[in-house]
Amino acid sequence: MDGSGKDPRPGELRAARSWLARHGLGDTPPTPLLAARLAARWRARVVEQVLLALLIMTAAAVYAFGVLSGPGGSGPLVLLGGLVVALLAARWQVEAWVRRVDRRAGAALARRAAHPVQLGWRALLGRPHAACAAGIHAAALALAAGAFATGDTAVRRAAAVLLVALAGAAAAAVLQLRDLLRRPVVAEDEVSLTADVIMRIEDARESMSPGVVWSLPVILLLGPTFGWWSAVSVGLVPLGLAAVALVQLRAPSTAAMARRIVAP
Amino acid sequence: MIVIDAASPVPPFEQLRAQLAGRIQDRTLAVGARLPTIRRLAADLGLAVNTVGRAYRELEEAGLIETRGRAGSFVTAAGEQARERARQAAAAYAATVAALGLGADEALRIAEAALAAATHRPVADNPQRD
C-alpha cells in the first residue's frame, strides 16, 4: 500500500521491478512499499521539472517585459523575486508530500532498519558531483556578475535577472539536499535500506543537476547586444556538458555508493 | 545496519543499545564514527525520542559513546578498552569461584544467568551442561 492506503498499480510494480534490476537488486521482488515510494518520487520529479521550466520561462518573460517597458524601475525584478519564492514554496510542498508518503509507509512496517552512522552530504552526493554542480554554478554567477559590471543597460538588466534566477536555482538545490539529509529512512531489511539510499542518492544528484544553471545565461545573455558575455554563456553549455559527462563516467554508480554505505 | 523488531519481547531501547554496543565492540563502528542524532534515529526507526535517548544514555554510561554538545554523539576509544575491562572482571570472578570451591559448570551457569539478567535475555538452553 502507498501513503494513501491504496494498493500499488500493476504499472508501478513493473516499474519498481525494472528499477531494482537496473540497480543490481533484480533478485528481489518489488514490494508495495518500494513501488509506492518510487511512484511518489517519479511524480514529484515531474512536478519539479515543470517548476524549473517555469523558473526559466518566468526569467525570460521578466527580461522581455523589462526590455519592452524601457529602462528604469525595479518592478520586474521584484516580480521575479516573488515568483522565485513562490516556486520554492511549491517545491517545498512537493517534498512535504513525498515525506508524508514515506511516513505512512514506514508506520505500517513491523520491522524498521536504519544506519548506525550519520550520513552526510559527501556520502549521498559524492565530491565529484558536488564539485561539478558548484563549479558550473560559480561560473554562471561569475558570468552574471561580470556582465552586470558592463556599461550596457540591456546587458545589466539581463544580468540582474540572471542573478535572481541563479539564486533561486541554488536555493532550490540546497533546500532539497538539506531535506534529503533530514528525511527519515524507511526500510525493513538490508535490501530496502539499500534501495532507500539509492533513491536518496538519485534524488541528490538530480537536485544538483546543473542543466538549468547553464541554460539560463544562454536565454538571457544571448540578446541583441553581442559581447564577451554572449560567447561565454554559449561556451558554458559544452563546458557543463563535458563536466557532467566526465563525472558520470568517473564517479561510482548509485548502487555501488549505496552498498558501500549500507555494508561498509 | 540497525534493525528494530516491534514484535520482539526485548524492549526497543534494549534492542538498539545491544546492537550499537555490539557493533562498537566488534569494531564495525570505528572509533570516532558519528552516530545519528537521537531525533534522527528515532524518526528512522519509528521509535519515541525518549527510547533512543535512553539507549544512548546507557551507551554513554558504559563509556562506549560520548556526546559533544551540538556536534553529536561519537564512538569513543573506550569501546576498545571494554574488552580488557571485561577480561579483568572475568579473571577476578574466576579467582572468587576457585576460592569458594565451586565447579566450573556451576560458575558458568551463574555467569550466564547474570548476563541474561543484565541484558534482559533468557538463558540459552545448553543440555551438555545439565
Side-chain angles (χ1 to χ4, degrees), chain A residues 31-65:
Chain A
T31 59
L33 166 76
L34 179 70
R37 296 188 68 205
L38 283 173
R41 268 155 189 76
W42 288 327
R43 285 181 198 129
R45 202 166 283 174
V46 169
V47 175
E48 283 165 3
Q49 292 300 324
V50 170
L51 292 175
L52 285 175
L54 276 175
L55 173 67
I56 294 175
M57 289 192 292
T58 306
V62 165
Y63 172 58
F65 178 74

mmCIF file of all heavy atoms in Angstrom, chain A residues 31-65:
data_model
loop_
_atom_site.group_PDB
_atom_site.id
_atom_site.type_symbol
_atom_site.label_atom_id
_atom_site.label_comp_id
_atom_site.label_asym_id
_atom_site.label_seq_id
_atom_site.Cartn_x
_atom_site.Cartn_y
_atom_site.Cartn_z
ATOM 1 N N THR A 31 8.392 -4.763 -3.567
ATOM 2 C CA THR A 31 7.357 -4.740 -2.525
ATOM 3 C C THR A 31 6.413 -3.568 -2.791
ATOM 4 O O THR A 31 6.800 -2.590 -3.446
ATOM 5 C CB THR A 31 7.986 -4.553 -1.138
ATOM 6 O OG1 THR A 31 8.707 -3.314 -1.155
ATOM 7 C CG2 THR A 31 8.937 -5.692 -0.798
ATOM 8 N N PRO A 32 5.177 -3.645 -2.286
ATOM 9 C CA PRO A 32 4.263 -2.494 -2.427
ATOM 10 C C PRO A 32 4.855 -1.221 -1.831
ATOM 11 O O PRO A 32 4.654 -0.124 -2.352
ATOM 12 C CB PRO A 32 3.018 -2.935 -1.650
ATOM 13 C CG PRO A 32 3.059 -4.432 -1.697
ATOM 14 C CD PRO A 32 4.509 -4.793 -1.652
ATOM 15 N N LEU A 33 5.649 -1.403 -0.738
ATOM 16 C CA LEU A 33 6.291 -0.234 -0.108
ATOM 17 C C LEU A 33 7.224 0.477 -1.091
ATOM 18 O O LEU A 33 7.139 1.682 -1.294
ATOM 19 C CB LEU A 33 7.085 -0.708 1.119
ATOM 20 C CG LEU A 33 8.071 0.287 1.718
ATOM 21 C CD1 LEU A 33 7.332 1.340 2.516
ATOM 22 C CD2 LEU A 33 9.104 -0.407 2.596
ATOM 23 N N LEU A 34 8.083 -0.321 -1.747
ATOM 24 C CA LEU A 34 9.035 0.268 -2.699
ATOM 25 C C LEU A 34 8.300 0.872 -3.888
ATOM 26 O O LEU A 34 8.622 1.990 -4.335
ATOM 27 C CB LEU A 34 10.025 -0.797 -3.171
ATOM 28 C CG LEU A 34 11.059 -0.303 -4.177
ATOM 29 C CD1 LEU A 34 12.050 0.641 -3.519
ATOM 30 C CD2 LEU A 34 11.801 -1.455 -4.832
ATOM 31 N N ALA A 35 7.295 0.144 -4.409
ATOM 32 C CA ALA A 35 6.547 0.648 -5.571
ATOM 33 C C ALA A 35 5.902 1.994 -5.256
ATOM 34 O O ALA A 35 5.953 2.930 -6.068
ATOM 35 C CB ALA A 35 5.493 -0.375 -5.986
ATOM 36 N N ALA A 36 5.306 2.086 -4.062
ATOM 37 C CA ALA A 36 4.637 3.340 -3.684
ATOM 38 C C ALA A 36 5.638 4.478 -3.538
ATOM 39 O O ALA A 36 5.396 5.602 -3.991
ATOM 40 C CB ALA A 36 3.886 3.132 -2.369
ATOM 41 N N ARG A 37 6.791 4.170 -2.928
ATOM 42 C CA ARG A 37 7.786 5.230 -2.709
ATOM 43 C C ARG A 37 8.380 5.704 -4.035
ATOM 44 O O ARG A 37 8.586 6.902 -4.243
ATOM 45 C CB ARG A 37 8.901 4.722 -1.788
ATOM 46 C CG ARG A 37 8.407 4.378 -0.393
ATOM 47 C CD ARG A 37 9.551 4.073 0.524
ATOM 48 N NE ARG A 37 10.339 5.272 0.771
ATOM 49 C CZ ARG A 37 11.618 5.259 1.117
ATOM 50 N NH1 ARG A 37 12.250 4.127 1.221
ATOM 51 N NH2 ARG A 37 12.260 6.381 1.336
ATOM 52 N N LEU A 38 8.669 4.751 -4.935
ATOM 53 C CA LEU A 38 9.225 5.147 -6.236
ATOM 54 C C LEU A 38 8.211 5.954 -7.035
ATOM 55 O O LEU A 38 8.554 6.961 -7.663
ATOM 56 C CB LEU A 38 9.645 3.901 -7.016
ATOM 57 C CG LEU A 38 10.956 3.233 -6.580
ATOM 58 C CD1 LEU A 38 11.156 1.924 -7.314
ATOM 59 C CD2 LEU A 38 12.140 4.151 -6.832
ATOM 60 N N ALA A 39 6.941 5.509 -6.994
ATOM 61 C CA ALA A 39 5.895 6.228 -7.747
ATOM 62 C C ALA A 39 5.776 7.669 -7.244
ATOM 63 O O ALA A 39 5.666 8.612 -8.044
ATOM 64 C CB ALA A 39 4.572 5.501 -7.616
ATOM 65 N N ALA A 40 5.839 7.835 -5.928
ATOM 66 C CA ALA A 40 5.748 9.198 -5.361
ATOM 67 C C ALA A 40 6.926 10.048 -5.833
ATOM 68 O O ALA A 40 6.763 11.216 -6.186
ATOM 69 C CB ALA A 40 5.728 9.116 -3.838
ATOM 70 N N ARG A 41 8.119 9.440 -5.867
ATOM 71 C CA ARG A 41 9.299 10.192 -6.295
ATOM 72 C C ARG A 41 9.231 10.581 -7.766
ATOM 73 O O ARG A 41 9.596 11.686 -8.145
ATOM 74 C CB ARG A 41 10.556 9.384 -6.026
ATOM 75 C CG ARG A 41 11.139 9.690 -4.695
ATOM 76 C CD ARG A 41 11.971 8.588 -4.135
ATOM 77 N NE ARG A 41 12.301 8.943 -2.759
ATOM 78 C CZ ARG A 41 11.441 8.856 -1.750
ATOM 79 N NH1 ARG A 41 10.218 8.404 -1.950
ATOM 80 N NH2 ARG A 41 11.790 9.222 -0.538
ATOM 81 N N TRP A 42 8.784 9.648 -8.590
ATOM 82 C CA TRP A 42 8.702 9.964 -10.019
ATOM 83 C C TRP A 42 7.712 11.094 -10.278
ATOM 84 O O TRP A 42 7.959 11.975 -11.078
ATOM 85 C CB TRP A 42 8.338 8.698 -10.811
ATOM 86 C CG TRP A 42 9.479 7.722 -10.868
ATOM 87 C CD1 TRP A 42 10.820 8.025 -10.905
ATOM 88 C CD2 TRP A 42 9.414 6.293 -10.869
ATOM 89 N NE1 TRP A 42 11.574 6.865 -10.916
ATOM 90 C CE2 TRP A 42 10.749 5.794 -10.904
ATOM 91 C CE3 TRP A 42 8.368 5.368 -10.843
ATOM 92 C CZ2 TRP A 42 11.047 4.437 -10.917
ATOM 93 C CZ3 TRP A 42 8.675 4.014 -10.862
ATOM 94 C CH2 TRP A 42 9.996 3.556 -10.894
ATOM 95 N N ARG A 43 6.561 11.046 -9.567
ATOM 96 C CA ARG A 43 5.585 12.131 -9.740
ATOM 97 C C ARG A 43 6.177 13.448 -9.262
ATOM 98 O O ARG A 43 6.027 14.490 -9.915
ATOM 99 C CB ARG A 43 4.310 11.804 -8.952
ATOM 100 C CG ARG A 43 3.483 10.734 -9.628
ATOM 101 C CD ARG A 43 2.207 10.413 -8.862
ATOM 102 N NE ARG A 43 1.686 9.135 -9.298
ATOM 103 C CZ ARG A 43 1.346 8.126 -8.508
ATOM 104 N NH1 ARG A 43 1.435 8.241 -7.204
ATOM 105 N NH2 ARG A 43 0.882 7.006 -8.999
ATOM 106 N N ALA A 44 6.849 13.394 -8.127
ATOM 107 C CA ALA A 44 7.448 14.626 -7.583
ATOM 108 C C ALA A 44 8.500 15.177 -8.541
ATOM 109 O O ALA A 44 8.601 16.388 -8.738
ATOM 110 C CB ALA A 44 8.086 14.328 -6.225
ATOM 111 N N ARG A 45 9.272 14.272 -9.171
ATOM 112 C CA ARG A 45 10.334 14.722 -10.075
ATOM 113 C C ARG A 45 9.746 15.423 -11.302
ATOM 114 O O ARG A 45 10.293 16.421 -11.766
ATOM 115 C CB ARG A 45 11.187 13.534 -10.495
ATOM 116 C CG ARG A 45 12.541 13.934 -10.951
ATOM 117 C CD ARG A 45 13.476 12.782 -11.046
ATOM 118 N NE ARG A 45 13.962 12.366 -9.741
ATOM 119 C CZ ARG A 45 14.713 11.296 -9.539
ATOM 120 N NH1 ARG A 45 15.045 10.529 -10.550
ATOM 121 N NH2 ARG A 45 15.146 10.993 -8.341
ATOM 122 N N VAL A 46 8.620 14.899 -11.799
ATOM 123 C CA VAL A 46 7.967 15.541 -12.955
ATOM 124 C C VAL A 46 7.540 16.959 -12.567
ATOM 125 O O VAL A 46 7.783 17.927 -13.291
ATOM 126 C CB VAL A 46 6.761 14.706 -13.422
ATOM 127 C CG1 VAL A 46 5.926 15.490 -14.427
ATOM 128 C CG2 VAL A 46 7.226 13.395 -14.042
ATOM 129 N N VAL A 47 6.902 17.086 -11.381
ATOM 130 C CA VAL A 47 6.444 18.407 -10.932
ATOM 131 C C VAL A 47 7.637 19.346 -10.780
ATOM 132 O O VAL A 47 7.586 20.521 -11.171
ATOM 133 C CB VAL A 47 5.662 18.286 -9.604
ATOM 134 C CG1 VAL A 47 5.280 19.666 -9.079
ATOM 135 C CG2 VAL A 47 4.407 17.446 -9.799
ATOM 136 N N GLU A 48 8.745 18.814 -10.233
ATOM 137 C CA GLU A 48 9.921 19.667 -10.022
ATOM 138 C C GLU A 48 10.533 20.119 -11.354
ATOM 139 O O GLU A 48 11.010 21.252 -11.463
ATOM 140 C CB GLU A 48 10.952 18.922 -9.175
ATOM 141 C CG GLU A 48 10.561 18.918 -7.710
ATOM 142 C CD GLU A 48 11.319 17.911 -6.871
ATOM 143 O OE1 GLU A 48 12.208 17.230 -7.409
ATOM 144 O OE2 GLU A 48 10.988 17.805 -5.685
ATOM 145 N N GLN A 49 10.499 19.253 -12.354
ATOM 146 C CA GLN A 49 10.994 19.656 -13.682
ATOM 147 C C GLN A 49 10.118 20.774 -14.257
ATOM 148 O O GLN A 49 10.614 21.720 -14.872
ATOM 149 C CB GLN A 49 11.009 18.458 -14.638
ATOM 150 C CG GLN A 49 12.030 17.385 -14.285
ATOM 151 C CD GLN A 49 13.464 17.897 -14.288
ATOM 152 O OE1 GLN A 49 13.823 18.729 -15.087
ATOM 153 N NE2 GLN A 49 14.263 17.422 -13.341
ATOM 154 N N VAL A 50 8.804 20.642 -14.035
ATOM 155 C CA VAL A 50 7.881 21.688 -14.511
ATOM 156 C C VAL A 50 8.191 23.011 -13.799
ATOM 157 O O VAL A 50 8.204 24.079 -14.427
ATOM 158 C CB VAL A 50 6.408 21.262 -14.275
ATOM 159 C CG1 VAL A 50 5.456 22.422 -14.543
ATOM 160 C CG2 VAL A 50 6.059 20.068 -15.161
ATOM 161 N N LEU A 51 8.461 22.927 -12.489
ATOM 162 C CA LEU A 51 8.756 24.146 -11.725
ATOM 163 C C LEU A 51 10.049 24.808 -12.215
ATOM 164 O O LEU A 51 10.122 26.037 -12.317
ATOM 165 C CB LEU A 51 8.861 23.825 -10.230
ATOM 166 C CG LEU A 51 7.546 23.412 -9.547
ATOM 167 C CD1 LEU A 51 7.797 23.002 -8.093
ATOM 168 C CD2 LEU A 51 6.529 24.549 -9.586
ATOM 169 N N LEU A 52 11.059 23.984 -12.542
ATOM 170 C CA LEU A 52 12.313 24.553 -13.072
ATOM 171 C C LEU A 52 12.085 25.193 -14.438
ATOM 172 O O LEU A 52 12.630 26.254 -14.743
ATOM 173 C CB LEU A 52 13.384 23.462 -13.169
ATOM 174 C CG LEU A 52 14.020 23.040 -11.847
ATOM 175 C CD1 LEU A 52 14.971 21.865 -12.045
ATOM 176 C CD2 LEU A 52 14.772 24.200 -11.203
ATOM 177 N N ALA A 53 11.250 24.533 -15.257
ATOM 178 C CA ALA A 53 10.920 25.112 -16.567
ATOM 179 C C ALA A 53 10.200 26.449 -16.381
ATOM 180 O O ALA A 53 10.447 27.413 -17.113
ATOM 181 C CB ALA A 53 10.051 24.145 -17.361
ATOM 182 N N LEU A 54 9.324 26.488 -15.366
ATOM 183 C CA LEU A 54 8.610 27.749 -15.078
ATOM 184 C C LEU A 54 9.592 28.843 -14.670
ATOM 185 O O LEU A 54 9.420 30.007 -15.035
ATOM 186 C CB LEU A 54 7.601 27.528 -13.947
ATOM 187 C CG LEU A 54 6.241 26.954 -14.352
ATOM 188 C CD1 LEU A 54 5.405 26.682 -13.119
ATOM 189 C CD2 LEU A 54 5.507 27.947 -15.257
ATOM 190 N N LEU A 55 10.635 28.445 -13.914
ATOM 191 C CA LEU A 55 11.647 29.429 -13.498
ATOM 192 C C LEU A 55 12.339 30.023 -14.722
ATOM 193 O O LEU A 55 12.495 31.251 -14.827
ATOM 194 C CB LEU A 55 12.680 28.753 -12.577
ATOM 195 C CG LEU A 55 13.885 29.602 -12.190
ATOM 196 C CD1 LEU A 55 13.467 30.761 -11.299
ATOM 197 C CD2 LEU A 55 14.948 28.773 -11.477
ATOM 198 N N ILE A 56 12.716 29.151 -15.674
ATOM 199 C CA ILE A 56 13.393 29.629 -16.887
ATOM 200 C C ILE A 56 12.461 30.540 -17.685
ATOM 201 O O ILE A 56 12.841 31.647 -18.105
ATOM 202 C CB ILE A 56 13.844 28.434 -17.761
ATOM 203 C CG1 ILE A 56 14.919 27.623 -17.038
ATOM 204 C CG2 ILE A 56 14.382 28.916 -19.105
ATOM 205 C CD1 ILE A 56 15.338 26.356 -17.757
ATOM 206 N N MET A 57 11.208 30.085 -17.864
ATOM 207 C CA MET A 57 10.261 30.878 -18.673
ATOM 208 C C MET A 57 9.941 32.202 -17.996
ATOM 209 O O MET A 57 9.822 33.246 -18.655
ATOM 210 C CB MET A 57 8.987 30.063 -18.907
ATOM 211 C CG MET A 57 9.210 28.906 -19.868
ATOM 212 S SD MET A 57 7.694 28.146 -20.431
ATOM 213 C CE MET A 57 7.083 27.390 -18.976
ATOM 214 N N THR A 58 9.815 32.164 -16.660
ATOM 215 C CA THR A 58 9.496 33.396 -15.929
ATOM 216 C C THR A 58 10.647 34.399 -16.054
ATOM 217 O O THR A 58 10.422 35.597 -16.281
ATOM 218 C CB THR A 58 9.247 33.074 -14.435
ATOM 219 O OG1 THR A 58 8.258 32.073 -14.357
ATOM 220 C CG2 THR A 58 8.781 34.302 -13.683
ATOM 221 N N ALA A 59 11.883 33.879 -15.911
ATOM 222 C CA ALA A 59 13.039 34.775 -16.023
ATOM 223 C C ALA A 59 13.088 35.409 -17.414
ATOM 224 O O ALA A 59 13.309 36.619 -17.561
ATOM 225 C CB ALA A 59 14.323 33.993 -15.737
ATOM 226 N N ALA A 60 12.848 34.577 -18.448
ATOM 227 C CA ALA A 60 12.867 35.093 -19.815
ATOM 228 C C ALA A 60 11.745 36.115 -20.025
ATOM 229 O O ALA A 60 11.952 37.160 -20.660
ATOM 230 C CB ALA A 60 12.735 33.939 -20.807
ATOM 231 N N ALA A 61 10.558 35.828 -19.452
ATOM 232 C CA ALA A 61 9.414 36.738 -19.611
ATOM 233 C C ALA A 61 9.678 38.070 -18.913
ATOM 234 O O ALA A 61 9.370 39.141 -19.447
ATOM 235 C CB ALA A 61 8.158 36.085 -19.048
ATOM 236 N N VAL A 62 10.272 38.000 -17.708
ATOM 237 C CA VAL A 62 10.567 39.231 -16.960
ATOM 238 C C VAL A 62 11.588 40.071 -17.724
ATOM 239 O O VAL A 62 11.481 41.292 -17.810
ATOM 240 C CB VAL A 62 11.083 38.876 -15.537
ATOM 241 C CG1 VAL A 62 11.734 40.081 -14.872
ATOM 242 C CG2 VAL A 62 9.943 38.364 -14.693
ATOM 243 N N TYR A 63 12.588 39.375 -18.302
ATOM 244 C CA TYR A 63 13.605 40.088 -19.088
ATOM 245 C C TYR A 63 12.961 40.768 -20.295
ATOM 246 O O TYR A 63 13.187 41.956 -20.551
ATOM 247 C CB TYR A 63 14.680 39.100 -19.530
ATOM 248 C CG TYR A 63 15.676 39.682 -20.501
ATOM 249 C CD1 TYR A 63 16.422 40.808 -20.167
ATOM 250 C CD2 TYR A 63 15.873 39.099 -21.754
ATOM 251 C CE1 TYR A 63 17.344 41.339 -21.054
ATOM 252 C CE2 TYR A 63 16.790 39.635 -22.648
ATOM 253 C CZ TYR A 63 17.519 40.744 -22.294
ATOM 254 O OH TYR A 63 18.418 41.278 -23.165
ATOM 255 N N ALA A 64 12.119 40.004 -21.013
ATOM 256 C CA ALA A 64 11.456 40.562 -22.199
ATOM 257 C C ALA A 64 10.547 41.728 -21.817
ATOM 258 O O ALA A 64 10.522 42.767 -22.492
ATOM 259 C CB ALA A 64 10.644 39.467 -22.889
ATOM 260 N N PHE A 65 9.821 41.583 -20.699
ATOM 261 C CA PHE A 65 8.929 42.644 -20.237
ATOM 262 C C PHE A 65 9.739 43.904 -19.915
ATOM 263 O O PHE A 65 9.345 45.022 -20.250
ATOM 264 C CB PHE A 65 8.168 42.165 -18.994
ATOM 265 C CG PHE A 65 7.267 43.197 -18.404
ATOM 266 C CD1 PHE A 65 6.066 43.522 -19.027
ATOM 267 C CD2 PHE A 65 7.613 43.849 -17.217
ATOM 268 C CE1 PHE A 65 5.237 44.488 -18.475
ATOM 269 C CE2 PHE A 65 6.781 44.815 -16.673
ATOM 270 C CZ PHE A 65 5.591 45.130 -17.301
#
